[in-house]
Amino acid sequence: MINTDPDIILWFVLGIFTLGSAVLATTSVVNVIRLRNVRLSWKTGKLGGYPLFSTLFMITVFIAGGAAVYREATSEMVLAGMYSWLGFCWFTASFLATKRFVTDHGIVKNVNEPSQTVAWHQIRDFVETEHKTHTHYIFIYSADKSDSTEELIRLELNVPHYREESFKKLISHKLGRRIRCYIKDDINIQQFKQL
């Protein structure tokens, strides 16, 4: 039987997770840098626009790190440093993944998930609903270029009020030729046939 010190396993696993989180954060940053012609972006996290769990993790790690510095425990300070780096990378990846980007090409809901990017030409229709702090948009789009109604998908997007005017102008510009929706910022209901 192989005898291993549990601390070595702990340090090894922590090192692997720290390295993995750095790769994830770097990938997220590179994906954001690769976005071209970004017109609008906004935060959508649960904690004032920031991701909830990674923020709470960072706060906990800073408290534990402060306790380690106060006690002058070197190994605990190194552990707190590694956990801080892991938390910072997790926070960065979560923050960028929850941020919404609107580009000339389309709407990017998650920079780390290409399937959550919807090009303007895919959008078939949309609905908007006013709320206190934001406007809720539901975009109906198709995954392919055919007009098959069997494979329509929803994309829900909450646009904060401070971005709403710019977002409406962009929608009018990008979808206005195919979906006549705004006339002087109002929906033109006369264009639809009554059943």
Side-chain angles (χ1 to χ4, degrees), residues 47-113:
L47 191 65
Y50 296 98
L52 177 65
F53 293 114
S54 58
T55 303
L56 293 176
F57 181 79
M58 288 288 292
I59 291 169
T60 304
V61 167
F62 286 144
I63 291 170
V69 169
Y70 178 74
R71 291 179 22 188
E72 297 179 1
T74 307
S75 64
E76 291 177 9
M77 284 190 273
V78 172
L79 268 175
M82 289 181 77
Y83 276 117
S84 296
W85 180 250
L86 188 142
F88 172 74
C89 292
W90 180 20
F91 177 85
T92 302
S94 298
F95 178 76
L96 294 176
T98 58
K99 196 168 181 178
R100 303 296 180 254
F101 295 94
V102 181
T103 68
D104 278 337
H105 177 66
I107 300 169
V108 181
K109 190 173 179 189
N110 183 345
V111 293
N112 293 329
E113 190 67 39

Side-chain angles (χ1 to χ4, degrees), residues 12-32:
F12 179 74
V13 170
L14 182 59
I16 294 295
F17 276 103
T18 304
L19 182 64
S21 67
V23 168
L24 179 64
T26 303
T27 303
S28 298
V29 170
V30 167
N31 287 341
V32 169

Side-chain angles (χ1 to χ4, degrees), residues 9-193:
I9 295 171
L10 171 77
W11 284 98
F12 179 74
V13 170
L14 182 59
I16 294 295
F17 276 103
T18 304
L19 182 64
S21 67
V23 168
L24 179 64
T26 303
T27 303
S28 298
V29 170
V30 167
N31 287 341
V32 169
I33 291 171
R34 288 178 52 198
L35 288 175
R36 297 288 179 237
N37 301 324
V38 176
R39 294 288 193 96
L40 297 169
S41 66
W42 59 87
K43 300 180 288 190
T44 61
K46 300 282 186 208
L47 191 65
Y50 296 98
L52 177 65
F53 293 114
S54 58
T55 303
L56 293 176
F57 181 79
M58 288 288 292
I59 291 169
T60 304
V61 167
F62 286 144
I63 291 170
V69 169
Y70 178 74
R71 291 179 22 188
E72 297 179 1
T74 307
S75 64
E76 291 177 9
M77 284 190 273
V78 172
L79 268 175
M82 289 181 77
Y83 276 117
S84 296
W85 180 250
L86 188 142
F88 172 74
C89 292
W90 180 20
F91 177 85
T92 302
S94 298
F95 178 76
L96 294 176
T98 58
K99 196 168 181 178
R100 303 296 180 254
F101 295 94
V102 181
T103 68
D104 278 337
H105 177 66
I107 300 169
V108 181
K109 190 173 179 189
N110 183 345
V111 293
N112 293 329
E113 190 67 39
S115 66
Q116 293 189 18
T117 299
V118 180
W120 293 114
H121 67 84
Q122 292 177 288
I123 297 175
R124 302 289 175 242
D125 203 358
F126 71 94
V127 176
E128 63 181 276
T129 309
E130 288 284 332
H131 295 278
K132 286 183 180 179
T133 59
H134 64 276
T135 302
H136 183 76
Y137 284 86
I138 299 174
F139 293 95
I140 307 298
Y141 69 98
S142 62
D144 57 6
K145 292 186 178 184
S146 70
D147 281 335
S148 172
T149 57
E150 296 173 6
E151 305 219 5
L152 294 178
I153 306 167
R154 290 169 52 142
L155 169 70
E156 297 192 24
L157 193 67
N158 293 329
V159 179
H161 287 311
Y162 69 92
R163 294 283 190 218
E164 186 178 0
E165 189 64 35
S166 301
F167 190 69
K168 279 187 176 184
K169 286 179 184 176
L170 192 57
I171 287 177
S172 180
H173 175 69
K174 294 295 182 179
L175 301 177
R177 287 172 264 173
R178 292 185 299 113
I179 305 171
R180 301 228 179 257
C181 48
Y182 294 112
I183 293 180
K184 293 185 181 175
D185 296 337
D186 292 326
I187 295 177
N188 180 11
I189 58 173
Q190 303 301 331
Q191 71 180 348
F192 300 108
K193 292 182 182 177

